[in-house]
Amino acid sequence: MSPVLEIRDLSVDYGSLRAVHDVSLTLNAGEVLGLAGESGSGKSTLAYAATRLLQPPGRVPSGEVLFKGHDLLSLTEKQLQVLRWNEIAIVFQGAMNALNPVISVGTQIDDVLRTHRPSMSRPERAARGRELLSLVGIPVDRLSSYPHQLSGGMRQRVMIAMALALEPEIVIMDEPTTALDVVVQRQILGQMMRLRETLGFSIVFITHDISLLVEFSDRIAIMYGGRVVEEAPASEIYRAAKHPYSQGLLSSFPALRGPRRELRGIPGSPPDLRSMPAGCPFHPRCPSAMDVCGERMPALEPVGERRRVACWLEGVHGLDTDSNGAPAV
Amino acid sequence: MTFLLRRAAFYLVTLWAAITANFLLPRLLPGDPVQAMITKLGGRLNSDAMASLYILFGLDEKKSIWAQYVDYWGALLRGDLGLSFTFFPTPVADVLSQSLPWTLGLVGVTTVIAFLLGTLMGVYAGWKRGSWMDSLIPVTTFLSSIPYFWLGLIAISVFSVTFPLLPASGGYAAGLVPEWSGEFIGSVLEHAVLPGVTIVVSSVAGWILGMRNMMVTVTAEDYVLVARAKGLSQRRIMFAYAARNAVLPSISGFALSLGFIVGGALLVEMVFSYPGLGYVLFQGIGAKDYPLMQGVFLVITLAVLVANLLADVGYLLLDPRTRREG
Amino acid sequence: MNFKTRLGLGILAFFTLIAVVGSWIAPYGPSAMSDDLLSPPSGAHWFGTTTTGQDIFSQVLVGTRGVMVVGLVCGVLATFLSILVGVTAGFLGGAADEALSMLSNVFLVIPALPLIIIVASMLPSADTVLIAAVISLTAWAWGARVLRAQTMSLRRRDFVEAARASGERTWRIIVFEVLPNLVAVIASGFVGTVIFAVMLQITLSFVGVVSLSTWNWGTILFWAQSNQALGQGAWWWFVPAGLCIALLGTALALINFGIDEYANPRLRKVRA
């Protein structure tokens, strides 16, 4: 598998507060990469920073985002504009507010085509609009509808149709189905996965609902306090999550498939950017916290062949590998 | 259409409230200023004029209030607003119909210009937030805090007295006869410059600030972020995505504050002795001409309500959510 | 609190001080005539004199009180009315809401100035307090509209629902759960009303429907206008009062920006 998007040591600041710390992630061709975490974990901030959609006062002090050999962070606004939606499209929480309420969905799809495919004629664009709607299973006469005339699920499908308009390499889905009921949620995600197989794009799937990721993604990265704390194939996360936070997250959602298990939440609440705990940010809520956890942040290190974990519980962090700090157990 | 029907019903209620207030005020407030005026005019009032003043101001105390109310509506529907004391013996309705076009021309046009100009500037100021345009805010705040009439006085003192560039008063040059001639129209335009600019300058700031704040709020909406992610041009995002949504509350605000703005604009007419309703009202105040003052109030209210209805139509065209498919 | 808000509060404090001590520190009586007829600003008369030799500086100082009193009285009265109507409408909903909203919209749409001019000129003696009361009656509607919308959104929040579910009395919920959350909106409505009232009072004085026996900045402008100060080039007669009005208005607007930015963080300045 070849990488299509490589995020290297990316950090994001809001004013003087660091929201994302040196995150490195790779998205491979045709893959679904899941990004999980509670609100405030930095998962959406990471995605917006990587696609240069971050609003002030957010900014990126360091890092690279490589797409086809170019660093997205150093492109000019003009170069970036050509690349946007052509290569990287985003499906937002469309059920809520991602569609412009005062222009028709057809026009909003047409906007994309008119900007990026200036050679297309008006009837060609209209035909493409109809084609896209039928691709996601919406009656084509809905092209002239306004967002308020569509149900939440339909709006989300429109967002997906719009994202696929230019056949991008990468589709980023940010909480795409949060406001929908469970049945519609799964219908839409299932459809998205089938479209991925036929059209062959890669997906970054951001959600707080880890059970959806287990079901629909190939690989999962779990974020906490602006850092990736565990990354592994979805099946391995589901079978045996290593990080106590991953375990907590898994146990707070019911799994649709597989054996039933006890539902437990994670005690406490996600840390505030303004008062991030010292050491591992999760240690105040961690059931297995040790003294060292409150003092130093463990690095994200490989565990086995296909997993990376940032936790003092993992042997690779053993005190012997730590060269510049006193053991504190 | 239900939207427009509801609005129209509301305007009818408002009109009814304004007329009823007009009916009740002279009856509730102490003193009989109109009676005093009639006594002063003595035999110069003919019996018809006397009768309509009695109906309009409730001087016939033998009748019940309900009978008076019915008579009052009857007079209004006949277009009988009584005689003006200031322009005696011209009927109030005639005075109003002569001055209304001047007000519509001056106040109507400048209010629309101020709204469009202020909204456009607000769109840019909100979009370019954090740029040099932010430094305009204190200036516009100061301008919007100046009473219209005082700015008019300053304008006269600078551009008519110190540097006599433009006429300070009137609607057209003395000696001209109103007609469709180039000379007359030119004179009208020349006389409209100072009062017009005064109205625009003192009302534009409010629209800039309101629109800027709405733009700032709307720019944080998801659909604007989506538009940026789509790689659309800045122009397209700014107008079709941000401004199209930000302008909607601005239009409702426009409609609701028209009554206030028109009040300020009437004062500009007073200062410039412009032959519109404001100046007529001013003359009426001096002469305690109640029939005229009440007539001006009714006509202005009616004009504001019609303008409101037009603003509603504009809103309807811009916001699909208010349109209901039949 | 940012610089703009502090500047606004500073100017407001200055005018409040003048309103209190103005009539004591004024060098002349505001109506006292002298032999210096229509003289430009000088050491003896900082803002010059009128056609009857009255000291304009003293008139401005003494007139501040009338302006501030009307602003304060109207602010309090109209804010009270707007809370009464707006919060009740927003909290009760249904038919009561329809009726009260309609009432406030009617008051909003009807042009206030000509109506007040009629009322004021029909009153036998239109003194400061009476005018303040009349202005208040027309000034509450905007605040009521804003408060209604805010209350409606608050009503659906959890803590209010919880209070309702626990059988708390309506007026207790309004006073203890709803009002504390409306403080910013009420404050900004108060300041807006004060601006409106001050402008209206000065306007009414300028057109001459308010009793001229008490001084305010509008009265000064009335005398300036009726004595053709403009035609005689006596700019000092109308410039000081107008600048004071604009300064006071700006100060109040700046305070309101501060409140808005506090209530709506999106409007805050972008930090570098």
Side-chain angles (χ1 to χ4, degrees):
Chain A
M1 281 199 290
S2 58
V4 283
L5 190 73
E6 276 188 88
I7 299 174
R8 286 187 191 161
D9 299 320
L10 190 75
S11 294
V12 181
D13 288 350
Y14 282 112
S16 55
L17 306 170
R18 181 145 294 190
V20 172
H21 295 259
D22 300 318
V23 167
S24 298
L25 277 175
T26 303
L27 175 68
N28 293 313
E31 170 184 58
V32 180
L33 172 65
L35 217 50
E38 291 161 297
S39 55
S41 62
K43 54 191 194 304
S44 295
T45 303
L46 173 68
Y48 293 141
T51 47
R52 292 262 302 262
L53 286 171
L54 208 59
Q55 299 273 37
R59 68 197 172 84
V60 180
S62 62
E64 283 184 325
V65 179
L66 295 178
F67 175 80
K68 291 188 173 168
H70 301 285
D71 181 9
L72 292 184
L73 301 183
S74 56
L75 292 183
T76 65
E77 206 40 63
K78 270 261 173 302
Q79 293 168 315
L80 198 65
Q81 207 165 329
V82 176
L83 207 120
R84 288 194 192 284
W85 222 256
N86 254 326
E87 307 285 7
I88 304 177
I90 305 182
V91 176
F92 293 84
Q93 299 191 24
M96 297 305 290
N97 217 359
L99 291 169
N100 185 346
V102 298
I103 58 184
S104 70
V105 297
T107 310
Q108 294 184 56
I109 295 175
D110 190 63
D111 263 347
V112 172
L113 299 171
R114 218 167 24 159
T115 306
H116 293 280
R117 302 280 185 273
S119 60
M120 278 174 91
S121 68
R122 182 184 289 266
E124 279 169 351
R125 295 200 306 263
R128 176 69 177 149
R130 284 192 294 273
E131 186 187 354
L132 285 165
L133 282 197
S134 45
L135 199 63
V136 294
I138 293 182
V140 291
D141 59 346
R142 284 300 192 165
L143 217 47
S144 56
S145 294
Y146 289 91
H148 71 281
Q149 297 165 324
L150 304 176
S151 69
M154 283 230 237
R155 272 181 267 182
Q156 198 52 65
R157 285 173 210 267
V158 168
M159 268 314 291
I160 291 174
M162 195 151 77
L164 302 181
L166 306 175
E167 303 192 337
E169 288 278 315
I170 301 169
V171 176
I172 294 172
M173 304 200 296
D174 184 13
E175 301 277 8
T177 57
T178 304
L180 305 176
D181 68 67
V182 184
V183 180
V184 180
Q185 222 174 46
R186 271 156 219 279
Q187 276 175 0
I188 288 181
L189 288 175
Q191 187 174 45
M192 191 71 193
M193 298 308 149
R194 285 193 296 282
L195 287 167
R196 176 185 63 118
E197 272 156 34
T198 39
L199 301 174
F201 49 85
S202 320
I203 295 178
V204 178
F205 183 5
I206 303 167
T207 178
H208 66 285
D209 184 344
I210 199 167
S211 62
L212 287 177
L213 292 185
V214 167
E215 192 173 339
F216 290 107
S217 60
D218 302 318
R219 210 149 44 85
I220 300 178
I222 292 168
M223 290 189 69
Y224 189 85
R227 292 182 163 92
V228 172
V229 294
E230 181 164 9
E231 187 211 328
S235 55
E236 283 182 37
I237 292 262
Y238 182 67
R239 196 171 41 79
K242 295 276 190 200
H243 197 282
Y245 177 64
S246 318
Q247 293 162 356
L249 212 52
L250 273 169
S251 66
S252 51
F253 284 97
L256 277 198
R257 294 177 198 155
R260 281 178 178 277
R261 34 181 204 194
E262 193 193 348
L263 272 188
R264 285 171 286 127
I266 308 170
S269 47
D272 190 334
L273 272 190
R274 277 159 300 190
S275 53
M276 202 52 94
C280 171
F282 186 59
H283 85 266
R285 304 169 71 190
C286 183
S288 350
M290 304 172 291
D291 285 350
V292 62
C293 303
E295 286 155 18
R296 278 171 296 130
M297 175 68 201
L300 188 65
E301 300 280 359
V303 175
E305 249 175 64
R306 308 198 297 161
R307 189 196 292 259
R308 293 191 296 161
V309 185
C311 182
W312 290 117
L313 290 173
E314 291 312 309
V316 284
H317 287 296
L319 303 173
D320 50 347
T321 59
D322 190 41
S323 51
N324 54 3
V329 180
Chain B
M1 275 344 261
T2 30
F3 170 75
L4 273 191
L5 285 177
R6 275 180 63 102
R7 300 299 297 170
F10 164 69
Y11 297 134
L12 286 178
V13 170
T14 309
L15 188 62
W16 167 81
I19 289 173
T20 305
N22 239 359
F23 167 79
L24 287 176
L25 278 176
R27 288 165 176 79
L28 286 178
L29 294 175
D32 261 332
V34 178
Q35 184 73 62
M37 199 56 87
I38 290 173
T39 315
K40 206 169 106 190
L41 287 167
R44 289 162 64 202
L45 282 169
N46 66 28
S47 56
D48 277 0
M50 193 86 91
S52 70
L53 286 176
Y54 266 69
I55 290 174
L56 291 170
F57 291 91
L59 301 176
D60 190 354
E61 281 159 5
K62 286 184 294 278
K63 278 191 174 175
S64 75
I65 193 95
W66 286 112
Q68 290 183 30
Y69 193 49
V70 171
D71 287 350
Y72 183 81
W73 270 97
L76 282 193
L77 292 177
R78 282 195 307 275
D80 181 359
L81 296 169
L83 287 190
S84 161
F85 300 148
T86 324
F87 303 95
F88 190 80
T90 317
V92 168
D94 291 2
V95 178
L96 296 181
S97 62
Q98 276 168 28
S99 45
L100 181 64
W102 291 96
T103 297
L104 288 182
L106 178 70
V107 178
V109 169
T110 50
T111 304
V112 170
I113 290 178
F115 175 72
L116 294 178
L117 192 70
T119 302
L120 203 63
M121 288 170 75
V123 166
Y124 276 99
W127 189 248
K128 301 261 174 225
R129 183 164 69 122
S131 72
W132 61 273
M133 289 196 82
D134 279 2
S135 60
L136 284 181
I137 294 170
V139 180
T140 49
T141 310
F142 185 75
L143 280 179
S144 68
S145 304
I146 298 175
Y148 288 36
F149 66 86
W150 190 71
L151 197 66
L153 292 174
I154 297 291
I156 291 175
S157 128
V158 174
F159 297 105
S160 295
V161 179
T162 314
F163 309 99
L165 298 171
L166 289 161
S169 71
Y172 51 90
L176 287 181
V177 182
E179 58 182 357
W180 287 112
S181 71
E183 192 191 4
F184 180 72
I185 292 171
S187 176
V188 167
L189 290 178
E190 193 190 5
H191 281 74
V193 171
L194 274 190
V197 169
T198 301
I199 296 175
V200 170
V201 168
S202 44
S203 58
V204 77
W207 303 124
I208 298 180
L209 290 174
M211 192 62 190
R212 172 190 178 270
N213 283 359
M214 275 320 297
M215 277 297 280
V216 169
T217 308
V218 164
T219 307
E221 294 286 352
D222 280 350
Y223 48 77
V224 175
L225 186 66
V226 174
R228 291 209 297 137
K230 287 193 325 198
L232 304 186
S233 67
Q234 290 288 313
R235 258 183 82 84
R236 181 78 186 157
I237 304 173
M238 180 165 82
F239 286 111
Y241 286 74
R244 263 298 293 278
N245 283 284
V247 80
L248 294 173
S250 205
I251 290 179
S252 343
F254 175 73
L256 285 173
S257 46
L258 263 178
F260 182 68
I261 295 167
V262 167
L266 293 178
L267 283 164
V268 175
E269 289 190 352
M270 296 181 189
V271 169
F272 286 93
S273 308
Y274 199 79
L277 293 169
Y279 188 48
V280 164
L281 179 65
F282 187 58
Q283 289 165 298
I285 297 170
K288 298 259 172 201
D289 187 346
Y290 295 104
L292 188 61
M293 286 197 260
Q294 295 213 323
V296 169
F297 170 63
L298 281 189
V299 171
I300 293 171
T301 306
L302 200 60
V304 165
L305 293 182
V306 170
N308 259 281
L309 199 60
L310 292 179
D312 285 338
V313 173
Y315 194 99
L316 194 70
L317 293 177
L318 284 175
D319 189 353
R321 283 164 293 187
T322 50
R323 283 177 236 151
R324 295 252 183 83
E325 296 110 300
Chain C
M1 214 168 22
N2 57 21
F3 172 73
K4 280 186 297 184
T5 316
R6 257 180 269 161
L7 182 68
L9 286 171
I11 298 174
L12 182 65
F14 173 74
F15 280 121
T16 311
L17 184 71
I18 298 290
V20 175
V21 302
S23 49
W24 297 322
I25 61 169
Y28 305 88
S31 312
M33 301 179 194
S34 72
D35 296 333
D36 293 328
L37 303 183
L38 206 63
S39 55
S42 64
H45 301 282
W46 287 5
F47 292 173
T49 62
T50 69
T51 41
T52 54
Q54 295 164 328
D55 180 53
I56 294 169
F57 181 57
S58 301
Q59 293 180 345
V60 172
L61 287 179
V62 174
T64 309
R65 185 176 301 168
V67 175
M68 301 296 279
V69 165
V70 167
L72 189 68
V73 171
C74 289
V76 171
L77 280 180
T79 305
F80 177 74
L81 283 174
S82 67
I83 294 174
L84 200 67
V85 175
V87 175
T88 312
F91 196 84
L92 295 181
D97 176 30
E98 289 273 330
L100 290 174
S101 304
M102 170 104 76
L103 184 71
S104 25
N105 283 344
V106 166
F107 270 89
L108 262 182
V109 171
I110 289 183
L113 183 70
L115 185 62
I116 295 184
I117 286 181
I118 293 172
V119 173
S121 61
M122 279 181 180
L123 288 170
S125 76
D127 64 0
T128 309
V129 179
L130 202 57
I131 286 296
V134 174
I135 294 176
S136 306
L137 281 178
T138 57
W140 57 271
W142 185 263
R145 198 182 143 83
V146 178
L147 279 172
R148 170 184 170 268
Q150 286 291 321
T151 309
M152 281 176 68
S153 76
L154 273 176
R155 195 178 51 152
R156 292 189 212 98
R157 303 256 178 92
D158 294 343
F159 59 93
V160 177
E161 292 286 359
R164 266 140 71 101
S166 66
E168 194 82 68
R169 293 220 194 124
T170 306
W171 70 268
R172 278 191 68 94
I173 302 177
I174 291 181
V175 173
F176 293 108
E177 308 286 347
V178 176
L179 282 185
N181 287 288
L182 293 173
V183 168
V185 185
I186 292 173
S188 119
F190 175 80
V191 176
T193 311
V194 173
I195 299 179
F196 177 82
V198 165
M199 291 290 168
L200 208 50
Q201 178 218 15
I202 286 164
T203 306
L204 291 173
S205 307
F206 172 71
V207 299
V209 294
V210 175
S211 155
L212 294 168
S213 55
T214 48
W215 284 96
N216 68 48
W217 299 335
T219 339
I220 300 173
L221 295 173
F222 170 81
W223 290 117
Q225 175 75 349
S226 50
N227 288 295
Q228 270 91 45
L230 281 177
Q232 307 186 47
W235 54 268
W236 58 87
W237 199 343
F238 54 86
V239 166
L243 282 183
C244 283
I245 299 166
L247 261 180
L248 179 61
T250 310
L252 292 167
L254 288 177
I255 294 171
N256 239 356
F257 289 160
I259 300 172
D260 282 351
E261 284 176 17
Y262 169 78
N264 183 358
R266 282 180 188 175
L267 296 178
R268 273 177 220 162
K269 208 173 176 181
V270 182
R271 274 168 300 172

